[in-house]
Each structure stands twice: as structure tokens, then as C-alpha cells.
Coordinates of all heavy atoms in Angstrom, one line a residue:
M1204 N 66.8 -38.9 -76.8 CA 67.5 -40.0 -77.1 C 69.0 -39.8 -76.6 O 69.6 -38.8 -76.8 CB 67.5 -40.1 -78.7 CG 68.2 -41.3 -79.1 SD 68.3 -41.5 -81.0 CE 66.5 -41.8 -81.4
S1205 N 69.4 -40.8 -75.8 CA 70.8 -40.6 -75.2 C 71.8 -41.0 -76.3 O 71.5 -41.5 -77.3 CB 70.9 -41.6 -74.0 OG 71.0 -42.9 -74.4
D1206 N 73.1 -40.7 -75.9 CA 74.2 -41.0 -76.9 C 74.2 -42.5 -77.2 O 74.5 -42.9 -78.3 CB 75.5 -40.6 -76.3 CG 75.7 -39.1 -76.3 OD1 75.0 -38.4 -77.1 OD2 76.5 -38.6 -75.6
S1207 N 73.9 -43.3 -76.3 CA 73.9 -44.8 -76.5 C 72.8 -45.2 -77.4 O 72.9 -46.3 -77.9 CB 73.9 -45.6 -75.2 OG 72.7 -45.3 -74.6
E1208 N 71.8 -44.4 -77.6 CA 70.7 -44.7 -78.5 C 70.8 -44.1 -79.8 O 69.9 -44.2 -80.6 CB 69.4 -44.4 -77.7 CG 69.2 -45.2 -76.5 CD 67.9 -44.8 -75.8 OE1 67.2 -43.8 -76.3 OE2 67.5 -45.4 -74.8
Q1209 N 71.9 -43.4 -80.1 CA 72.0 -42.7 -81.4 C 72.1 -43.8 -82.4 O 72.7 -44.8 -82.2 CB 73.3 -41.9 -81.4 CG 73.2 -40.6 -80.5 CD 72.1 -39.7 -81.1 OE1 71.9 -39.4 -82.3 NE2 71.3 -39.1 -80.2
P1210 N 71.5 -43.5 -83.6 CA 71.7 -44.5 -84.7 C 73.2 -44.8 -85.1 O 73.9 -43.9 -85.1 CB 70.9 -43.8 -85.9 CG 70.1 -42.8 -85.3 CD 70.7 -42.4 -84.0
A1211 N 73.4 -46.0 -85.4 CA 74.8 -46.4 -85.8 C 75.0 -45.9 -87.2 O 76.1 -45.7 -87.6 CB 75.0 -47.9 -85.7
Y1212 N 73.9 -45.7 -88.0 CA 74.0 -45.3 -89.4 C 73.2 -44.2 -89.7 O 72.1 -44.0 -89.0 CB 73.5 -46.5 -90.4 CG 74.3 -47.8 -90.1 CD1 73.7 -48.8 -89.4 CD2 75.6 -48.0 -90.4 CE1 74.3 -50.1 -89.2 CE2 76.3 -49.1 -90.2 CZ 75.6 -50.2 -89.6 OH 76.3 -51.3 -89.3
V1213 N 73.5 -43.3 -90.6 CA 72.8 -42.1 -91.0 C 72.5 -42.2 -92.5 O 73.1 -43.0 -93.2 CB 73.5 -40.9 -90.6 CG1 73.7 -40.7 -89.2 CG2 74.8 -40.8 -91.4
A1214 N 71.5 -41.3 -92.9 CA 71.2 -41.3 -94.3 C 72.4 -41.2 -95.2 O 73.3 -40.4 -94.9 CB 70.2 -40.2 -94.6
G1215 N 72.5 -42.0 -96.2 CA 73.6 -42.0 -97.1 C 74.7 -43.0 -96.9 O 75.6 -43.2 -97.7
D1216 N 74.7 -43.6 -95.6 CA 75.7 -44.6 -95.3 C 75.5 -45.8 -96.2 O 74.5 -46.3 -96.4 CB 75.6 -45.0 -93.8 CG 76.2 -44.1 -92.9 OD1 76.9 -43.1 -93.3 OD2 76.0 -44.2 -91.6
L1217 N 76.7 -46.3 -96.7 CA 76.7 -47.5 -97.5 C 76.8 -48.7 -96.5 O 77.7 -48.7 -95.6 CB 77.9 -47.5 -98.4 CG 78.0 -48.5 -99.6 CD1 76.8 -48.3 -100.5 CD2 79.2 -48.2 -100.4
V1218 N 75.9 -49.7 -96.6 CA 75.9 -50.8 -95.7 C 75.8 -52.0 -96.5 O 75.3 -52.1 -97.6 CB 74.7 -50.7 -94.7 CG1 74.8 -49.6 -93.7 CG2 73.3 -50.6 -95.4
R1219 N 76.2 -53.2 -95.9 CA 76.0 -54.5 -96.5 C 75.3 -55.3 -95.5 O 75.6 -55.3 -94.3 CB 77.4 -55.1 -96.8 CG 77.2 -56.4 -97.6 CD 78.5 -57.0 -98.1 NE 79.1 -56.2 -99.2 CZ 78.7 -56.3 -100.5 NH1 77.7 -57.1 -100.8 NH2 79.3 -55.6 -101.4
T1220 N 74.3 -56.1 -96.0 CA 73.6 -57.0 -95.1 C 74.4 -58.2 -94.8 O 75.2 -58.7 -95.6 CB 72.2 -57.4 -95.7 OG1 72.5 -58.1 -97.0 CG2 71.3 -56.2 -95.9
Y1221 N 74.1 -58.8 -93.6 CA 74.9 -60.0 -93.3 C 74.3 -61.2 -94.1 O 73.1 -61.2 -94.5 CB 74.6 -60.4 -91.8 CG 75.6 -59.6 -90.9 CD1 75.2 -58.4 -90.3 CD2 76.9 -60.1 -90.8 CE1 76.2 -57.8 -89.5 CE2 77.8 -59.4 -90.0 CZ 77.4 -58.2 -89.4 OH 78.3 -57.5 -88.6
R1222 N 75.2 -62.1 -94.4 CA 74.8 -63.3 -95.2 C 74.8 -64.5 -94.2 O 75.8 -65.0 -93.8 CB 75.9 -63.6 -96.3 CG 75.5 -64.8 -97.2 CD 76.7 -65.1 -98.1 NE 77.2 -64.0 -98.8 CZ 76.8 -63.6 -100.0 NH1 75.9 -64.2 -100.6 NH2 77.4 -62.6 -100.6
H1223 N 73.6 -64.7 -93.7 CA 73.4 -65.7 -92.7 C 72.1 -66.5 -93.0 O 71.2 -65.9 -93.6 CB 73.4 -65.2 -91.3 CG 72.3 -64.4 -90.9 ND1 72.0 -63.1 -91.5 CD2 71.3 -64.6 -90.0 CE1 70.9 -62.7 -90.9 NE2 70.4 -63.5 -90.0
D1224 N 72.0 -67.7 -92.6 CA 70.8 -68.5 -92.8 C 70.4 -69.1 -91.4 O 70.7 -70.2 -91.2 CB 71.0 -69.5 -93.9 CG 69.7 -70.2 -94.3 OD1 68.6 -69.7 -94.0 OD2 69.8 -71.3 -94.9
P1225 N 69.8 -68.3 -90.5 CA 69.5 -68.8 -89.2 C 68.4 -70.0 -89.3 O 67.6 -70.0 -90.2 CB 68.9 -67.6 -88.5 CG 68.3 -66.8 -89.6 CD 69.2 -67.0 -90.8
P1226 N 68.4 -70.8 -88.3 CA 67.5 -72.0 -88.3 C 66.1 -71.5 -87.7 O 65.3 -72.4 -87.5 CB 68.2 -73.0 -87.3 CG 68.9 -72.0 -86.4 CD 69.4 -70.9 -87.2
H1227 N 65.8 -70.2 -87.7 CA 64.6 -69.7 -87.3 C 64.1 -68.6 -88.1 O 64.8 -68.2 -89.1 CB 64.7 -69.2 -85.8 CG 65.8 -68.3 -85.6 ND1 65.9 -67.0 -86.1 CD2 67.1 -68.5 -85.1 CE1 67.0 -66.4 -85.8 NE2 67.8 -67.3 -85.2
H1228 N 63.0 -68.0 -87.8 CA 62.4 -66.9 -88.6 C 63.4 -65.7 -88.6 O 64.1 -65.4 -87.6 CB 61.1 -66.4 -87.9 CG 60.6 -65.1 -88.5 ND1 59.9 -65.1 -89.7 CD2 60.7 -63.9 -88.0 CE1 59.6 -63.8 -89.9 NE2 60.1 -63.0 -88.9
T1229 N 63.5 -65.0 -89.7 CA 64.2 -63.7 -89.8 C 63.5 -62.8 -90.7 O 62.9 -63.2 -91.7 CB 65.7 -63.9 -90.2 OG1 66.4 -62.6 -90.3 CG2 65.8 -64.5 -91.6
R1230 N 63.6 -61.5 -90.4 CA 62.9 -60.5 -91.3 C 63.9 -60.0 -92.4 O 63.6 -59.1 -93.1 CB 62.5 -59.3 -90.4 CG 61.4 -59.7 -89.4 CD 60.1 -59.9 -90.0 NE 59.6 -58.7 -90.7 CZ 58.6 -58.6 -91.5 NH1 57.9 -59.6 -91.8 NH2 58.2 -57.5 -92.0
L1231 N 65.1 -60.6 -92.5 CA 66.0 -60.3 -93.5 C 65.8 -61.2 -94.7 O 66.1 -62.4 -94.6 CB 67.5 -60.4 -93.0 CG 68.6 -60.2 -94.1 CD1 68.4 -58.8 -94.7 CD2 69.9 -60.3 -93.4
P1232 N 65.2 -60.8 -95.8 CA 64.8 -61.7 -96.8 C 66.1 -62.3 -97.4 O 67.1 -61.7 -97.5 CB 64.1 -60.8 -97.9 CG 63.8 -59.5 -97.2 CD 64.7 -59.4 -96.0
R1233 N 65.9 -63.6 -97.9 CA 67.0 -64.3 -98.5 C 67.6 -63.6 -99.7 O 68.8 -63.5 -99.8 CB 66.5 -65.7 -98.9 CG 67.6 -66.6 -99.4 CD 67.2 -68.0 -99.6 NE 66.4 -68.6 -98.6 CZ 67.0 -69.2 -97.5 NH1 68.3 -69.4 -97.5 NH2 66.3 -69.7 -96.6
Y1234 N 66.8 -62.9 -100.5 CA 67.2 -62.2 -101.6 C 68.1 -61.0 -101.3 O 68.8 -60.5 -102.2 CB 66.1 -61.9 -102.6 CG 65.1 -60.9 -102.0 CD1 65.4 -59.5 -102.0 CD2 63.9 -61.4 -101.6 CE1 64.5 -58.6 -101.5 CE2 62.9 -60.4 -101.0 CZ 63.2 -59.1 -101.0 OH 62.3 -58.2 -100.5
A1235 N 68.1 -60.5 -100.1 CA 68.8 -59.3 -99.7 C 70.0 -59.6 -98.9 O 70.7 -58.8 -98.4 CB 67.9 -58.4 -98.9
R1236 N 70.3 -60.9 -98.6 CA 71.4 -61.3 -97.7 C 72.8 -61.1 -98.5 O 72.9 -61.5 -99.6 CB 71.3 -62.7 -97.3 CG 70.1 -62.8 -96.4 CD 69.8 -64.3 -95.9 NE 68.5 -64.3 -95.3 CZ 67.9 -65.5 -95.0 NH1 68.6 -66.6 -95.2 NH2 66.8 -65.5 -94.5
G1237 N 73.7 -60.4 -97.8 CA 75.0 -60.2 -98.4 C 75.0 -59.1 -99.4 O 76.0 -58.9 -100.2
K1238 N 73.9 -58.3 -99.5 CA 73.8 -57.3 -100.5 C 74.2 -55.9 -100.1 O 74.1 -55.6 -98.9 CB 72.4 -57.3 -101.1 CG 71.9 -58.6 -101.7 CD 72.8 -59.0 -102.8 CE 72.2 -60.4 -103.3 NZ 72.9 -60.8 -104.5
L1239 N 74.5 -55.0 -101.0 CA 74.9 -53.7 -100.7 C 73.8 -52.7 -100.9 O 73.1 -52.8 -101.9 CB 76.1 -53.3 -101.7 CG 76.9 -52.1 -101.5 CD1 77.6 -52.1 -100.2 CD2 77.9 -51.9 -102.7
G1240 N 73.6 -51.8 -99.9 CA 72.5 -50.9 -100.0 C 72.9 -49.6 -99.4 O 74.1 -49.4 -98.8
V1241 N 72.0 -48.6 -99.4 CA 72.2 -47.3 -98.8 C 71.1 -46.9 -97.8 O 70.0 -47.1 -98.2 CB 72.2 -46.2 -100.0 CG1 72.4 -44.8 -99.4 CG2 73.3 -46.5 -101.0
V1242 N 71.5 -46.5 -96.7 CA 70.6 -46.1 -95.6 C 69.8 -44.9 -96.1 O 70.4 -43.9 -96.5 CB 71.3 -45.8 -94.3 CG1 70.3 -45.3 -93.3 CG2 72.0 -47.1 -93.8
V1243 N 68.5 -45.0 -96.1 CA 67.6 -43.8 -96.4 C 67.4 -43.0 -95.2 O 67.6 -41.8 -95.2 CB 66.3 -44.3 -97.0 CG1 65.4 -43.2 -97.3 CG2 66.5 -45.1 -98.3
E1244 N 67.0 -43.7 -94.1 CA 66.9 -43.0 -92.8 C 66.7 -44.0 -91.7 O 66.2 -45.1 -92.0 CB 65.7 -42.1 -92.8 CG 64.3 -42.8 -93.0 CD 63.2 -41.9 -93.0 OE1 63.3 -40.7 -92.7 OE2 62.1 -42.3 -93.4
P1245 N 67.1 -43.7 -90.5 CA 66.7 -44.4 -89.3 C 65.2 -44.2 -89.1 O 64.7 -43.1 -89.2 CB 67.5 -43.8 -88.1 CG 68.5 -42.9 -88.8 CD 67.9 -42.5 -90.1
E1246 N 64.5 -45.3 -88.7 CA 63.1 -45.2 -88.5 C 62.6 -45.3 -87.1 O 61.4 -45.3 -86.8 CB 62.4 -46.3 -89.4 CG 62.6 -46.1 -90.9 CD 61.8 -47.0 -91.7 OE1 61.6 -48.2 -91.4 OE2 61.3 -46.5 -92.7
G1247 N 63.5 -45.6 -86.2 CA 63.1 -45.7 -84.8 C 63.5 -47.1 -84.3 O 64.0 -48.0 -85.0
R1248 N 63.2 -47.3 -83.0 CA 63.7 -48.6 -82.4 C 62.4 -49.5 -82.2 O 61.3 -49.0 -82.0 CB 64.3 -48.2 -81.0 CG 65.5 -47.4 -81.2 CD 66.0 -46.9 -79.8 NE 66.6 -47.9 -79.0 CZ 67.7 -48.5 -79.1 NH1 68.5 -48.2 -80.2 NH2 68.1 -49.5 -78.3
A1249 N 62.7 -50.8 -82.3 CA 61.7 -51.8 -82.2 C 62.3 -53.1 -81.8 O 63.5 -53.4 -82.0 CB 61.0 -52.0 -83.6
P1250 N 61.5 -54.0 -81.1 CA 62.0 -55.3 -80.7 C 62.4 -56.1 -81.9 O 61.7 -56.1 -82.9 CB 60.8 -55.9 -80.0 CG 59.9 -54.8 -79.5 CD 60.2 -53.7 -80.6
L1251 N 63.5 -56.9 -81.8 CA 64.0 -57.7 -83.0 C 62.9 -58.8 -83.2 O 62.7 -59.6 -82.4 CB 65.3 -58.3 -82.7 CG 66.0 -59.1 -83.7 CD1 66.2 -58.3 -85.0 CD2 67.3 -59.7 -83.2
A1252 N 62.4 -58.8 -84.4 CA 61.3 -59.7 -84.8 C 61.7 -61.1 -84.8 O 60.9 -62.0 -84.5 CB 60.7 -59.3 -86.2
D1253 N 63.0 -61.4 -85.1 CA 63.6 -62.7 -85.1 C 63.3 -63.4 -83.7 O 63.0 -64.6 -83.7 CB 65.0 -62.8 -85.4 CG 65.4 -62.1 -86.8 OD1 64.7 -61.2 -87.2 OD2 66.3 -62.6 -87.4
V1254 N 63.5 -62.7 -82.7 CA 63.4 -63.2 -81.3 C 61.9 -63.3 -80.9 O 61.4 -64.3 -80.4 CB 64.2 -62.4 -80.3 CG1 64.0 -62.9 -78.9 CG2 65.7 -62.4 -80.7
R1255 N 61.2 -62.3 -81.3 CA 59.7 -62.3 -80.9 C 59.0 -63.4 -81.6 O 58.0 -64.0 -81.0 CB 59.1 -61.0 -81.2 CG 59.7 -59.9 -80.3 CD 58.9 -58.6 -80.4 NE 57.6 -58.8 -79.8 CZ 56.7 -57.9 -79.8 NH1 57.0 -56.7 -80.2 NH2 55.5 -58.1 -79.3
A1256 N 59.4 -63.7 -82.9 CA 58.7 -64.8 -83.6 C 58.9 -66.2 -82.9 O 58.1 -67.1 -83.2 CB 59.2 -64.9 -85.0
Q1257 N 59.9 -66.3 -82.1 CA 60.2 -67.5 -81.4 C 59.3 -67.6 -80.1 O 59.5 -68.6 -79.3 CB 61.7 -67.6 -81.0 CG 62.5 -67.7 -82.2 CD 64.0 -67.7 -81.9 OE1 64.4 -68.3 -80.9 NE2 64.8 -66.9 -82.6
G1258 N 58.5 -66.6 -79.8 CA 57.7 -66.6 -78.6 C 58.4 -66.1 -77.4 O 57.8 -66.3 -76.3
R1259 N 59.6 -65.6 -77.6 CA 60.4 -65.2 -76.4 C 60.1 -63.7 -76.1 O 59.8 -62.9 -76.9 CB 61.8 -65.3 -76.7 CG 62.2 -66.8 -76.9 CD 63.6 -67.0 -77.5 NE 64.6 -66.0 -77.0 CZ 65.8 -65.9 -77.6 NH1 66.1 -66.5 -78.6 NH2 66.6 -65.0 -77.1
G1260 N 60.1 -63.4 -74.8 CA 59.8 -62.1 -74.3 C 61.1 -61.2 -74.2 O 61.0 -60.1 -73.6
D1261 N 62.3 -61.8 -74.6 CA 63.6 -61.1 -74.3 C 64.2 -60.5 -75.6 O 65.4 -60.3 -75.7 CB 64.5 -62.0 -73.7 CG 64.9 -63.2 -74.6 OD1 64.1 -63.5 -75.5 OD2 66.0 -63.9 -74.3
A1262 N 63.3 -60.1 -76.5 CA 63.8 -59.5 -77.8 C 64.6 -58.2 -77.5 O 64.0 -57.3 -76.9 CB 62.7 -59.3 -78.7
P1263 N 65.8 -58.1 -78.0 CA 66.5 -56.8 -77.9 C 65.8 -55.8 -78.7 O 65.2 -56.0 -79.8 CB 67.9 -57.1 -78.4 CG 67.7 -58.3 -79.3 CD 66.6 -59.1 -78.7
V1264 N 65.8 -54.5 -78.2 CA 65.3 -53.4 -79.0 C 66.4 -52.8 -79.8 O 67.4 -52.4 -79.3 CB 64.6 -52.4 -78.0 CG1 64.1 -51.2 -78.8 CG2 63.5 -53.1 -77.3
E1265 N 66.2 -52.7 -81.1 CA 67.2 -52.3 -82.0 C 66.6 -51.1 -82.9 O 65.4 -51.1 -83.2 CB 67.6 -53.4 -83.0 CG 68.3 -54.5 -82.3 CD 68.9 -55.5 -83.4 OE1 68.8 -55.3 -84.6 OE2 69.5 -56.5 -82.9
M1266 N 67.5 -50.4 -83.4 CA 67.2 -49.3 -84.4 C 66.8 -50.1 -85.7 O 67.4 -51.1 -86.1 CB 68.4 -48.4 -84.7 CG 68.0 -47.2 -85.6 SD 66.7 -46.1 -85.0 CE 67.6 -45.3 -83.6
V1267 N 65.8 -49.6 -86.4 CA 65.4 -50.1 -87.7 C 65.6 -49.0 -88.7 O 65.4 -47.8 -88.5 CB 63.8 -50.4 -87.7 CG1 63.4 -50.8 -89.0 CG2 63.6 -51.5 -86.6
Y1268 N 66.2 -49.4 -89.9 CA 66.5 -48.5 -90.9 C 65.8 -48.8 -92.2 O 65.6 -50.0 -92.5 CB 68.1 -48.6 -91.2 CG 68.9 -48.3 -90.0 CD1 69.3 -49.3 -89.1 CD2 69.4 -47.0 -89.9 CE1 70.1 -49.0 -88.0 CE2 70.2 -46.7 -88.7 CZ 70.5 -47.7 -87.8 OH 71.3 -47.4 -86.8
A1269 N 65.5 -47.8 -92.9 CA 65.0 -47.9 -94.3 C 66.3 -48.0 -95.1 O 67.1 -47.1 -95.0 CB 64.2 -46.8 -94.8
V1270 N 66.5 -49.1 -95.9 CA 67.7 -49.3 -96.7 C 67.3 -49.5 -98.1 O 66.4 -50.3 -98.5 CB 68.5 -50.5 -96.2 CG1 69.8 -50.6 -97.0 CG2 68.9 -50.3 -94.7
R1271 N 67.9 -48.7 -99.0 CA 67.5 -48.8 -100.5 C 68.6 -49.6 -101.2 O 69.8 -49.5 -101.0 CB 67.6 -47.3 -101.1 CG 67.2 -47.3 -102.6 CD 67.2 -45.9 -103.2 NE 68.6 -45.3 -103.1 CZ 69.0 -44.3 -102.4 NH1 68.1 -43.7 -101.6 NH2 70.2 -43.9 -102.4
F1272 N 68.1 -50.6 -102.0 CA 68.9 -51.5 -102.8 C 68.5 -51.2 -104.3 O 67.3 -51.1 -104.6 CB 68.6 -52.9 -102.4 CG 69.0 -53.3 -101.0 CD1 68.0 -53.1 -100.0 CD2 70.2 -53.8 -100.7 CE1 68.3 -53.5 -98.7 CE2 70.5 -54.1 -99.4 CZ 69.6 -53.9 -98.4
A1273 N 69.5 -51.3 -105.1 CA 69.2 -51.3 -106.6 C 68.7 -52.7 -106.9 O 69.2 -53.7 -106.4 CB 70.5 -51.1 -107.4
A1274 N 67.6 -52.7 -107.7 CA 67.1 -54.1 -108.1 C 68.2 -55.0 -108.7 O 68.2 -56.2 -108.5 CB 65.9 -53.9 -109.1
R1275 N 69.1 -54.3 -109.5 CA 70.2 -55.0 -110.1 C 71.1 -55.7 -109.0 O 71.6 -56.8 -109.2 CB 71.0 -54.1 -111.0 CG 72.1 -54.8 -111.8 CD 72.6 -53.9 -112.9 NE 71.7 -53.3 -113.8 CZ 71.1 -53.9 -114.8 NH1 71.4 -55.2 -115.0 NH2 70.3 -53.4 -115.6
E1276 N 71.2 -55.1 -107.9 CA 72.0 -55.7 -106.8 C 71.3 -56.9 -106.2 O 72.0 -57.9 -105.9 CB 72.3 -54.6 -105.7 CG 72.9 -55.2 -104.4 CD 74.4 -55.4 -104.6 OE1 75.0 -55.1 -105.6 OE2 74.9 -56.0 -103.6
L1277 N 70.0 -56.8 -106.1 CA 69.2 -57.9 -105.5 C 69.0 -59.1 -106.5 O 69.1 -60.3 -106.1 CB 67.9 -57.4 -105.0 CG 67.9 -56.4 -104.0 CD1 66.5 -55.8 -103.6 CD2 68.7 -56.8 -102.7
W1278 N 68.7 -58.8 -107.8 CA 68.3 -59.8 -108.7 C 69.0 -59.9 -110.0 O 68.8 -60.7 -110.8 CB 66.8 -59.6 -109.0 CG 65.9 -59.7 -107.8 CD1 65.7 -60.9 -107.1 CD2 65.2 -58.7 -107.2 NE1 64.8 -60.6 -106.0 CE2 64.5 -59.3 -106.1 CE3 65.0 -57.3 -107.5 CZ2 63.7 -58.6 -105.2 CZ3 64.1 -56.7 -106.6 CH2 63.5 -57.2 -105.5
G1279 N 70.0 -59.0 -110.1 CA 70.9 -59.0 -111.3 C 70.3 -58.3 -112.5 O 70.9 -58.2 -113.6
E1280 N 69.1 -57.8 -112.4 CA 68.5 -57.0 -113.4 C 67.5 -55.9 -112.8 O 67.1 -56.1 -111.6 CB 67.8 -57.9 -114.4 CG 66.7 -58.7 -113.8 CD 66.0 -59.6 -114.7 OE1 66.3 -59.6 -116.0 OE2 65.2 -60.5 -114.3
G1281 N 67.0 -55.1 -113.6 CA 66.0 -54.1 -113.2 C 66.7 -52.7 -113.0 O 67.8 -52.6 -112.6
E1282 N 65.9 -51.7 -113.3 CA 66.4 -50.3 -113.2 C 65.8 -49.5 -112.1 O 66.0 -48.3 -112.0 CB 66.2 -49.6 -114.6 CG 66.8 -50.2 -115.8 CD 68.3 -50.4 -115.6 OE1 69.0 -49.5 -115.1 OE2 68.9 -51.4 -116.0
H1283 N 65.1 -50.2 -111.2 CA 64.5 -49.5 -110.1 C 65.1 -49.8 -108.8 O 66.1 -50.6 -108.7 CB 63.0 -50.0 -110.0 CG 62.8 -51.4 -109.8 ND1 63.0 -52.4 -110.8 CD2 62.4 -52.1 -108.7 CE1 62.8 -53.6 -110.3 NE2 62.4 -53.5 -109.1
D1284 N 64.6 -49.2 -107.7 CA 65.2 -49.4 -106.4 C 64.1 -50.1 -105.5 O 62.9 -50.0 -105.8 CB 65.6 -48.1 -105.7 CG 66.8 -47.5 -106.4 OD1 67.7 -48.2 -106.9 OD2 66.9 -46.2 -106.3
V1285 N 64.6 -50.8 -104.5 CA 63.7 -51.5 -103.5 C 64.1 -51.0 -102.2 O 65.3 -50.9 -101.9 CB 63.9 -53.0 -103.6 CG1 63.1 -53.7 -102.5 CG2 63.5 -53.5 -105.0
V1286 N 63.2 -50.6 -101.3 CA 63.5 -50.1 -99.9 C 63.0 -51.1 -99.0 O 61.8 -51.5 -99.0 CB 63.0 -48.7 -99.6 CG1 63.2 -48.3 -98.2 CG2 63.5 -47.7 -100.6
L1287 N 63.9 -51.6 -98.1 CA 63.5 -52.6 -97.0 C 63.7 -51.9 -95.7 O 64.7 -51.2 -95.5 CB 64.3 -53.8 -97.1 CG 64.3 -54.6 -98.4 CD1 65.3 -55.8 -98.4 CD2 62.9 -55.2 -98.7
D1288 N 62.9 -52.3 -94.7 CA 63.1 -51.9 -93.3 C 63.8 -53.0 -92.6 O 63.4 -54.1 -92.6 CB 61.7 -51.7 -92.6 CG 61.0 -50.5 -93.2 OD1 61.6 -49.6 -93.8 OD2 59.7 -50.5 -93.0
L1289 N 65.0 -52.7 -92.1 CA 65.9 -53.7 -91.6 C 66.5 -53.3 -90.2 O 66.9 -52.2 -90.0 CB 67.1 -54.0 -92.6 CG 66.8 -54.4 -94.0 CD1 68.0 -54.5 -94.9 CD2 66.0 -55.8 -93.9
S1290 N 66.5 -54.3 -89.4 CA 67.1 -54.1 -88.0 C 68.6 -53.9 -88.1 O 69.3 -54.4 -89.0 CB 66.8 -55.3 -87.1 OG 65.4 -55.4 -86.9
E1291 N 69.1 -53.1 -87.1 CA 70.5 -52.8 -87.1 C 71.5 -54.1 -87.1 O 72.5 -54.0 -87.7 CB 70.9 -51.9 -85.8 CG 72.2 -51.3 -85.9 CD 72.3 -50.3 -84.8 OE1 71.6 -49.3 -84.8 OE2 73.1 -50.5 -83.9
S1292 N 71.1 -55.1 -86.5 CA 71.9 -56.3 -86.4 C 72.0 -57.0 -87.8 O 72.9 -57.9 -87.9 CB 71.5 -57.3 -85.3 OG 70.1 -57.8 -85.6
Y1293 N 71.2 -56.7 -88.7 CA 71.3 -57.2 -90.0 C 72.4 -56.5 -90.9 O 72.7 -57.0 -92.0 CB 70.0 -57.1 -90.8 CG 68.8 -57.8 -90.2 CD1 67.6 -57.4 -90.6 CD2 68.9 -58.8 -89.3 CE1 66.4 -58.0 -90.1 CE2 67.8 -59.4 -88.8 CZ 66.5 -59.0 -89.1 OH 65.5 -59.6 -88.6
L1294 N 72.9 -55.4 -90.4 CA 73.7 -54.5 -91.2 C 75.1 -54.4 -90.7 O 75.4 -54.5 -89.5 CB 73.1 -53.1 -91.3 CG 71.6 -53.0 -91.7 CD1 71.1 -51.6 -91.5 CD2 71.5 -53.5 -93.1
R1295 N 76.1 -54.1 -91.6 CA 77.4 -53.7 -91.2 C 77.8 -52.6 -92.2 O 77.4 -52.5 -93.3 CB 78.4 -54.9 -91.3 CG 78.7 -55.4 -92.7 CD 79.8 -56.5 -92.7 NE 79.9 -57.2 -93.9 CZ 80.5 -56.7 -95.0 NH1 81.1 -55.6 -94.9 NH2 80.6 -57.4 -96.1
K1296 N 78.7 -51.7 -91.7 CA 79.2 -50.7 -92.6 C 80.0 -51.3 -93.7 O 80.8 -52.2 -93.5 CB 80.2 -49.8 -91.7 CG 80.6 -48.5 -92.4 CD 79.7 -47.4 -92.0 CE 80.3 -46.1 -92.4 NZ 79.3 -45.1 -92.3
A1297 N 79.8 -50.8 -94.9 CA 80.4 -51.3 -96.1 C 81.6 -50.3 -96.5 O 81.5 -49.6 -97.4 CB 79.4 -51.4 -97.2
E1298 N 82.7 -50.4 -95.7 CA 83.7 -49.4 -95.8 C 84.6 -49.6 -97.1 O 85.0 -48.6 -97.7 CB 84.6 -49.5 -94.6 CG 83.9 -49.1 -93.4 CD 84.8 -49.2 -92.1 OE1 86.0 -49.3 -92.2 OE2 84.1 -49.2 -91.0
G1299 N 84.8 -50.8 -97.5 CA 85.6 -51.1 -98.7 C 84.8 -51.2 -100.0 O 85.4 -51.4 -101.1
D1300 N 83.5 -51.3 -99.8 CA 82.6 -51.5 -101.0 C 82.5 -50.2 -101.8 O 82.5 -49.1 -101.2 CB 81.3 -52.0 -100.5 CG 81.4 -53.4 -100.0 OD1 82.0 -54.2 -100.6 OD2 80.8 -53.6 -98.9
V1301 N 82.2 -50.3 -103.0 CA 82.0 -49.1 -103.9 C 80.7 -49.4 -104.6 O 80.3 -50.5 -105.1 CB 83.1 -49.0 -105.0 CG1 82.8 -47.9 -105.9 CG2 84.4 -48.8 -104.3
R1302 N 79.9 -48.4 -104.7 CA 78.5 -48.5 -105.4 C 78.6 -47.9 -106.7 O 79.2 -46.9 -107.0 CB 77.5 -47.8 -104.5 CG 76.1 -48.0 -105.2 CD 75.1 -48.2 -104.2 NE 73.9 -48.2 -104.9 CZ 72.9 -49.1 -104.6 NH1 73.0 -49.9 -103.6 NH2 71.8 -49.1 -105.3

């Protein structure tokens, strides 16, 4: 893996998902948009499903991360965690956020 292919996030990084509602398919569930989570691990690179679902062959290849969310963060209740596999473009570093 070259330096340019190193994961942007590592295990333990606090991230927030983007809050967007694209007019096309996205693998970022509505219930997880704008939510705070913790990277469990980078899982490897894959073509962005949002673009592939449109039948296009030009999907960018991005790092996919396992991200853990508290159920309470997602739904306002629950004592368990939920882990989602999310593409890098769905995430941003949550620098000012506190968990």
C-alpha cells in the first residue's frame, strides 16, 4: 500500500457521518446520517456503491471502514452498539465532538 493509499482514519478515531440526502442510491443509511461513531478498523478499498448503483463504470475506489455507533446515538435509546461498513467519503473527522 502506498502512502497515498493509507487509511485516513485508524481504529479509535472519532468520526461523524455526513448529513446529506442525495437524489440517488447511497449506502449511508438515513438513520446514521450526521451521527457520531468510532472507527473499529479499516476494511480495505472498494468501488463506491453509490456510483456503481447508477450503472456507471467510473466509481471511485475508496477505503471502507467498520464504524461503531451507540444505539442511543442512532435512535435515542438502547444500550448496545451497531457497526456499519461505511465508505471514506461518508465520514469526516469529529475533532470538536465529545463522546
Side-chain angles (χ1 to χ4, degrees):
M1204 188 180 289
S1205 72
D1206 288 340
S1207 64
E1208 295 177 357
Q1209 290 296 318
Y1212 306 106
V1213 297
D1216 280 352
L1217 197 58
V1218 294
R1219 185 171 292 278
T1220 59
Y1221 278 97
R1222 184 185 312 265
H1223 71 293
D1224 190 17
H1227 52 74
H1228 170 80
T1229 181
R1230 296 287 297 170
L1231 176 57
R1233 187 175 307 275
Y1234 63 81
R1236 295 177 193 171
K1238 303 299 182 175
L1239 191 62
V1241 177
V1242 172
V1243 175
E1244 66 180 346
E1246 296 189 320
R1248 298 172 66 75
L1251 183 61
D1253 299 34
V1254 175
R1255 291 192 69 182
Q1257 296 174 43
R1259 296 171 35 198
D1261 62 340
V1264 176
E1265 295 187 0
M1266 187 62 70
V1267 176
Y1268 299 87
V1270 181
R1271 183 179 65 246
F1272 298 88
R1275 188 169 301 284
E1276 173 73 8
L1277 298 177
W1278 298 294
E1280 62 184 351
E1282 299 304 319
H1283 61 285
D1284 291 330
V1285 175
V1286 177
L1287 300 174
D1288 294 337
L1289 300 174
S1290 294
E1291 192 168 296
S1292 62
Y1293 300 159
L1294 307 172
R1295 66 174 171 81
K1296 188 95 171 169
E1298 295 178 17
D1300 292 312
V1301 178
R1302 180 143 177 139

